[in-house]
């Protein structure tokens, strides 16, 4: 199966290793991965800030950077959620209406694609320790992802996955929310981290690096013995060449 990889600007600039691990996982699942190096942003920052004309211009470039015929996969529920939902506000009843609808039907967050399209949940990954999973707002509410990442993580050798309290509550990032309401944002991060610590977790895992970056900032500032990992990095961890799946 041929898929087109969408690497959000956030991942490209700050966490490129996660993009490479996404490719590794998809290729191990039997996919032929293509990457258009001219791709940029989906337009979400401008859209969320209220600059819809600028978001429409950036979103229009996104529609030109990808095809309608292939699946599009991204290691970010937030950006996938923007395309699936935010693009309705930008491109409904425009000349690219039909093209937009085709792409919306074909774009998937990584865990959603692995479970619901490829029907694969085991990749021979290994990670020793106890972890909690953080449901990002975009993953849970926009992409309707909940059991998919948990199913994938349950097949990781050595990993004990436990449920923390209020796992579906926001971590406090919310893009510009963290800048405009920094005190509230920090308090929400503190609550999320404390809930993970109550479970004696060593890792917080999520589909969204924006959430994880926010939590990691609080963790490092307070010298807390807790690590954050994107699900793609977990699934590509500890591989052996001879591993079968």
């Amino acid at each position: 199966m041929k898929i087109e990889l969408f690497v959000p600007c956030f991942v490209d600039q700050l966490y490129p290793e996660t993009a490479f691990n996404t490719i590794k996982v998809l290729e191990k699942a039997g996919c032929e991965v293509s990457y258009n190096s001219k791709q940029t942003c989906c337009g979400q920052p401008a859209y969320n800030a209220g600059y819809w004309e600028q978001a429409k211009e950036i979103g229009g470039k996104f529609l030109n950077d990808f095809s309608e015929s292939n699946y599009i996969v991204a290691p970010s529920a937030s950006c996938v959620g923007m395309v699936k939902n935010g693009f309705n506000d930008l491109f409904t009843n425009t000349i690219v209406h039909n093209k937009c609808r085709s792409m919306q039907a074909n774009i998937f967050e990584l865990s959603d694609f692995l479970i619901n399209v490829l029907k694969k949940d085991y990749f021979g990954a290994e990670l020793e320790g106890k972890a909690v999973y953080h449901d990002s707002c975009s993953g849970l509410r926009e992409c309707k992802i909940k059991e998919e990442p948990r199913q994938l993580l349950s097949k990781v050798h050595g990993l004990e996955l436990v449920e923390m309290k209020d796992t579906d509550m926001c971590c406090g990032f919310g893009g510009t929310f963290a800048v405009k309401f920094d005190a509230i944002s920090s308090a929400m991060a503190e609550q999320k981290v404390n809930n993970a610590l109550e479970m004696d977790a060593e890792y917080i895992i999520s589909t969204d690096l924006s959430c994880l970056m926010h939590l990691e900032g609080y963790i490092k500032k307070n010298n807390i013995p807790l690590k954050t990992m994107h699900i793609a990095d977990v699934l590509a961890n500890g591989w052996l060449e001879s591993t079968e799946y």
Side-chain angles (χ1 to χ4, degrees):
M1 181 182 294
K2 183 175 182 179
I3 68 101
E4 297 179 32
L5 180 67
F6 169 34
V7 179
C9 46
F10 189 88
V11 178
D12 178 69
Q13 294 297 311
L14 300 176
Y15 298 96
E17 189 62 31
T18 298
F20 287 114
N21 282 332
T22 299
I23 296 173
K24 290 178 183 177
V25 171
L26 287 169
E27 288 182 338
K28 195 163 189 177
C31 295
E32 177 187 346
V33 182
S34 66
Y35 173 73
N36 181 357
S37 61
K38 294 182 180 180
Q39 64 178 268
T40 53
C41 181
C42 64
Q44 182 180 184
Y47 175 83
N48 288 343
Y51 296 100
W52 283 20
E53 284 303 313
Q54 290 84 345
K56 189 173 183 179
E57 181 179 352
I58 300 169
K61 182 181 184 305
F62 178 94
L63 294 178
N64 289 327
D65 287 340
F66 294 89
S67 71
E68 300 174 62
S69 57
N70 297 319
Y71 285 112
I72 304 167
V73 180
S76 169
S78 176
C79 295
V80 169
M82 170 62 189
V83 175
K84 282 186 173 293
N85 300 284
F87 275 24
N88 290 335
D89 293 321
L90 303 179
F91 301 112
T92 296
N93 295 328
T94 68
I95 59 174
V96 293
H97 177 101
N98 291 335
K99 183 176 184 179
C100 179
R101 292 295 178 271
S102 295
M103 288 190 178
Q104 287 177 315
N106 287 339
I107 190 168
F108 288 84
E109 181 274 331
L110 177 63
S111 67
D112 187 14
F113 184 73
L114 294 175
I115 294 296
N116 295 318
V117 179
L118 296 183
K119 311 297 183 183
K120 292 180 180 289
D121 62 7
Y122 177 67
F123 296 90
E126 295 182 1
L127 181 65
E128 292 289 336
K130 182 184 286 190
V132 293
Y133 176 76
H134 162 61
D135 290 285
S136 73
C137 296
S138 297
L140 189 65
R141 297 171 178 85
E142 293 191 320
C143 297
K144 312 302 181 185
I145 299 165
K146 185 173 179 67
E147 297 305 324
E148 291 85 352
R150 288 171 170 83
Q151 183 176 336
L152 290 163
L153 293 173
S154 72
K155 300 297 179 71
V156 176
H157 295 289
L159 184 65
E160 180 185 358
L161 186 65
V162 295
E163 290 291 326
M164 64 177 165
K165 181 173 60 178
D166 298 328
T167 183
D168 58 348
M169 289 186 64
C170 180
C171 68
F173 178 65
T176 55
F177 177 87
V179 177
K180 295 178 179 179
F181 305 98
D182 59 321
I184 299 174
S185 176
S186 295
M188 294 172 75
E190 179 183 13
Q191 182 182 47
K192 182 68 66 171
V193 169
N194 286 340
N195 288 343
L197 292 174
E198 283 181 8
M199 303 306 299
D200 296 321
E202 300 166 70
Y203 300 94
I204 298 178
I205 301 170
S206 184
T207 57
D208 283 87
L209 282 164
S210 51
C211 298
L212 295 176
M213 181 191 70
H214 180 60
L215 295 173
E216 186 179 19
Y218 178 83
I219 289 168
K220 287 185 175 180
K221 181 179 180 180
N222 293 280
N223 297 312
I224 297 170
L226 192 60
K227 299 177 182 179
T228 61
M229 287 187 74
H230 188 277
I231 192 167
D233 300 323
V234 176
L235 296 178
N237 192 68
W239 280 0
L240 298 176
E241 292 298 326
S242 60
T243 299
E244 296 184 357
Y245 56 97

